[in-house]
Amino acid sequence: MTRVASFSQNQALLSSVLKSQTDLFKAQQQVNTGKKSQDYAGIASDTSTLVSAKALKAQTDSFIKTGTYLNQTLSTLDLQIGAFIDSSRSLRQSVLEVVATGDAQGFQQTLETSFEMLKSTLNTMVGGSYLFSGSRTTTKPFSAETLDDLAALGNVADAFNNDQIKATVRIADTYEMQYGVLADEVAQPLMEVIQRIKQFHDTTPGGLNGQLDDTEKAYLESELAALDSAIQGIQQYQVANGLRQKRVEEIGDLMSNRSAYLEDFVSNIEDVNMAEAITRLQNDQSA
């Protein structure tokens, strides 16, 4: 009589059940987390590639964040430089009208207003830092408080407290951008014109007030060329700032595209195909 053993058959059945339970647990994890594996062991052959891709994406996202902050700063600079230009043009128009009419009634108040607006713009703060101070972000870049203070200076440069260091920031792997505008480079020529007009007013009997004589009109007319030169200089800084904005936007687009590509690349390695995972889960549950 042949003896039939059932032990090996039971072991095979038990092994099959345990494997089905393991596959079921794995499928449930994949469906719940959306990941192929909960550790690198499950994707061992792609681990090195995945780590490198994640590091590159983190760096790229950092560049995007830096570029966004830089673009906001450049936009603020553009706004403030535009305010310089508007104030300068307004002053020029006032001088032109005084020369044309020969009447300087109220011109002193116009000069005071222009000075106050320019001073306020120069001492603009963003996030607790002075915008035009260079690296001396806690130091007020323009210290003359009144038009009389400016007129009393032997040299207009003494009113400016900024240094000559402009900020530099990396916004791509191999690209660093120097940005910023310094108070003295953008406003000193204009403040020199204002100082001269104020000093001329103070040393002229009766000041620049009411009807002007030929000498007074000739003097103001001579300052129009200096005003035009100062305005052109400010406009050049506005153009340069605009070009930097455009470059930052271009690089930002490149970084965004790279980040999106890397996100898909990482997803292809570590994310599970959900339709396949659900099918496997159902099959394992049936098993």
Side-chain angles (χ1 to χ4, degrees):
M1 177 172 126
T2 305
R3 184 178 179 82
V4 178
S6 58
F7 179 76
S8 59
Q9 183 180 11
N10 291 337
Q11 287 296 102
L13 288 173
L14 180 60
S15 176
S16 178
V17 170
L18 291 175
K19 182 179 183 304
S20 295
Q21 288 179 335
T22 300
D23 292 342
L24 177 61
F25 177 73
K26 181 179 179 181
Q28 286 176 328
Q29 277 193 322
Q30 289 181 340
V31 170
N32 291 336
T33 65
K35 303 298 181 183
K36 294 177 181 177
S37 175
Q38 304 309 301
D39 52 41
Y40 287 136
I43 50 173
S45 61
D46 294 321
T47 297
S48 178
T49 302
L50 179 62
V51 170
S52 298
K54 283 188 172 182
L56 183 57
K57 186 179 185 305
Q59 183 188 56
T60 301
D61 290 343
S62 176
F63 287 145
I64 292 173
K65 185 176 180 180
T66 301
T68 299
Y69 172 78
L70 177 57
N71 195 44
Q72 292 172 346
T73 301
L74 294 177
S75 295
T76 303
L77 279 170
D78 181 71
L79 182 66
Q80 299 306 320
I81 295 172
F84 279 127
I85 295 173
D86 291 342
S87 297
S88 305
R89 286 174 175 168
S90 178
L91 176 60
R92 183 189 183 282
Q93 183 62 29
S94 296
V95 173
L96 196 60
E97 291 174 359
V98 168
V99 171
T101 63
D103 186 359
Q105 188 68 36
F107 179 69
Q108 175 67 10
Q109 287 71 30
T110 299
L111 197 64
E112 290 273 4
T113 300
S114 296
F115 171 81
E116 289 296 329
M117 292 181 67
L118 290 167
K119 179 190 74 173
S120 177
T121 304
L122 283 171
N123 291 329
T124 297
M125 297 187 76
V126 177
S129 299
Y130 287 104
L131 190 61
F132 296 99
S133 286
S135 67
R136 303 175 68 182
T137 55
T138 59
T139 301
K140 186 182 293 187
F142 187 73
S143 58
E145 292 297 329
T146 66
L147 188 55
D148 288 330
D149 292 339
L150 181 67
L153 293 172
N155 190 333
V156 171
D158 295 337
F160 293 92
N161 301 312
N162 60 277
D163 60 21
Q164 299 302 308
I165 302 174
K166 296 182 180 180
T168 301
V169 64
R170 184 178 294 276
I171 55 175
D173 307 62
T174 58
Y175 186 78
E176 285 188 345
M177 175 176 285
Q178 185 182 68
Y179 68 98
V181 177
L182 305 176
D184 57 352
E185 66 180 7
V186 71
Q188 185 170 326
L190 184 60
M191 286 297 183
E192 288 173 348
V193 175
I194 293 175
Q195 184 197 51
R196 289 195 299 269
I197 294 176
K198 172 61 175 172
Q199 290 173 340
F200 183 83
H201 168 81
D202 291 344
T203 56
T204 298
L208 295 173
N209 190 33
Q211 292 298 312
L212 303 180
D213 58 30
D214 291 341
T215 300
E216 293 166 345
K217 286 195 292 184
Y219 172 75
L220 288 177
E221 189 172 5
S222 70
E223 290 292 355
L224 284 172
L227 276 172
D228 287 338
S229 177
I231 292 171
Q232 289 174 2
I234 299 172
Q235 288 174 328
Q236 289 176 356
Y237 287 109
Q238 188 178 44
V239 170
N241 187 74
L243 292 174
R244 284 192 287 269
Q245 277 185 287
K246 180 174 175 58
R247 183 59 174 156
V248 169
E249 290 172 359
E250 291 173 347
I251 292 176
D253 290 340
L254 290 174
M255 292 296 105
S256 294
N257 291 336
R258 187 166 81 174
S259 179
Y261 167 78
L262 289 170
E263 184 173 356
D264 288 341
F265 185 83
V266 169
S267 177
N268 288 335
I269 295 176
E270 67 177 5
D271 291 346
V272 71
N273 184 311
M274 193 58 68
E276 292 181 0
I278 291 174
T279 299
R280 286 199 306 272
L281 176 62
Q282 292 173 341
N283 291 338
D284 292 335
Q285 286 175 333
S286 298

